[in-house]
Each structure stands twice: as C-alpha cells, then as structure tokens.
Amino acid sequence: GQNIDQPTEMTATEGAIVQINCTYQTSGFNGLFWYQQHAGEAPTFLSYNVLDGLEEKGRFSSFLSRSKGYSYLLLKELQMKDSASYLCAGLETGANNLFFGTGTRLTVIP
Amino acid sequence: GAVVSQHPSWVICKSGTSVKIECRSLDFQATTMFWYRQFPKQSLMLMATSNEGSKATYEQGVEKDKFLINHASLTLSTLTVTSAHPEDSSFYICSARDPSQGAIGYTFGSGTRLTVV
C-alpha cells in the first residue's frame, strides 16, 4: 500500500520563499513527483526525484530523502501566479499509476 | 512535449442520462491511460487504469458498471458515466504516460467538469 501526507493549506508573501513538505509510505519506491495545479485545470509537471538530494530548476527546487520517506518543494521569489495547489505524487515499483497526496493549497499574498 | 487532449472540458447533464468523456494522446501511443476524479479542494483519486485492448482495472469502491471505460486504440480512451446522479458531479481528469519520456512521461488532460442536475 501507499500513503502520502502533506499540509492542506499554506500562505506566503510575494517575494518570499516557501517550503512545502511531503512524507510518504510505500512498499516499493520508484520516484517522487511534484505537480502544480491551478483551480479547474490539469496538473502540470514540476519535478521528479528518484535519488536522494536536491534538484534545482529555476525558482523551484525539490528535495528527496528516501531513508526518511520525505520530500519538499521549495519555491523562491514567490509570485502571485504561484498561488495554486501543489501535489506530491509517488510511483511504486512495478506500478504504472501515480498516487497522489491531498495537495497543498498555497496562497501568495502581496 | 507529449500532449493529452480531453473533451469535453465541461458538461451539464440531467440526472439519469449518460455522459461520455474522451481522452486522446496526440503525439504518442499510450497502451495505458488513467482516469482520476477530483472533488473540490481535494486531490486526485485514481478511479481506474485503462488498458488498450483489454478490460480496465478499477480501484476499490469504483463501480465498473457505472463508469464504463473503453480503450479501443492506442491513442483513445473513453469514460462513460452511466445513469449520472448529482453525486457524480466532479472534475474528471485523464492521464497517459509517454513511454519515450521514461518516468517523467505522465501527462494530464485538461479535465472535464461534470455537473449533473
């Protein structure tokens, strides 16, 4: 089985940095994804981690610790358009589908 | 990059009628597609895995006779919500994986907002 936990809501200020945490439990780990989803739209891919460490991509970075079952998404220089839901999703060994956490709704305020 | 097209983007139907939602992979072949349902302020819940040329695999609690899935070709899967009721109102999203992209090849359709009145 699998389970993913992440905070339901977060608020941060424009220009600041925010870290969204995700913990997971799975019987066979094969990668951790982060997606961004604006209301009423499809999720868009942000990052994929399968090895421990930090992956940086512009203003967004994602970190993974497989031994701790832990990941975070770091958003720098926040912009108003970053207000969205951020979905942590896992891929199990031998499985085809992603399993999603509840998503974290981030609100960026001026 | 890989594109998945989903239609319609929104639909309103009367209680008791059926609604078909289409999901197409436009520039790759998808032997497997996934159907998710998302209620307001909640995350995506996998309903079923659609397998080309064979029966779909449904998640526990999802009625296969109510949510009919057909995956007749390598680029098209359809989800039919039969005898729809107001509680079926939700946001339905399909996903497909482009095998040439490896693990990051999961692409989502734009979603279908279903409202049953």
Side-chain angles (χ1 to χ4, degrees), chain A residues 33 35 37 40-43 45 48 87 91 96-98 100-103 105, chain B residues 32 34 36 38 41-44 46 91 93 97 103-104 106 108-110 113:
Chain A
F33 297 75
Y35 285 84
Q37 185 183 26
E41 299 180 11
F45 172 80
Y48 168 67
L87 309 177
L91 182 63
N96 270 323
N97 63 284
L98 301 176
F100 286 85
T102 55
R105 284 194 308 281
Chain B
T32 305
F34 308 96
Y36 293 86
Q38 186 177 35
K41 298 186 178 181
Q42 296 185 24
S43 191
L44 282 74
L46 180 68
F91 192 54
I93 306 178
R97 178 170 167 239
I104 66 170
Y106 291 91
F108 290 83
S110 54
R113 172 76 57 193

Side-chain angles (χ1 to χ4, degrees), chain A residues 35 96 98, chain B residues 2-6 23-36 50 71 74-77 93-99 101-109:
Chain A
Y35 285 84
N96 270 323
L98 301 176
Chain B
V3 177
V4 172
S5 174
Q6 185 175 342
C23 181
R24 295 180 185 271
S25 57
L26 296 187
D27 48 4
F28 65 98
Q29 294 183 332
T31 55
T32 305
M33 292 186 178
F34 308 96
W35 287 97
Y36 293 86
S50 172
H71 195 151
L74 287 171
T75 58
L76 173 65
S77 175
I93 306 178
C94 70
S95 172
R97 178 170 167 239
D98 180 357
Q101 299 295 315
I104 66 170
Y106 291 91
T107 302
F108 290 83

Side-chain angles (χ1 to χ4, degrees), chain A residues 41-61:
Chain A
E41 299 180 11
T44 55
F45 172 80
L46 291 178
S47 68
Y48 168 67
N49 295 68
V50 67
L51 300 176
D52 289 351
L54 186 68
E55 295 276 346
E56 297 186 77
K57 192 185 299 183
R59 292 192 299 116
F60 292 9
S61 302

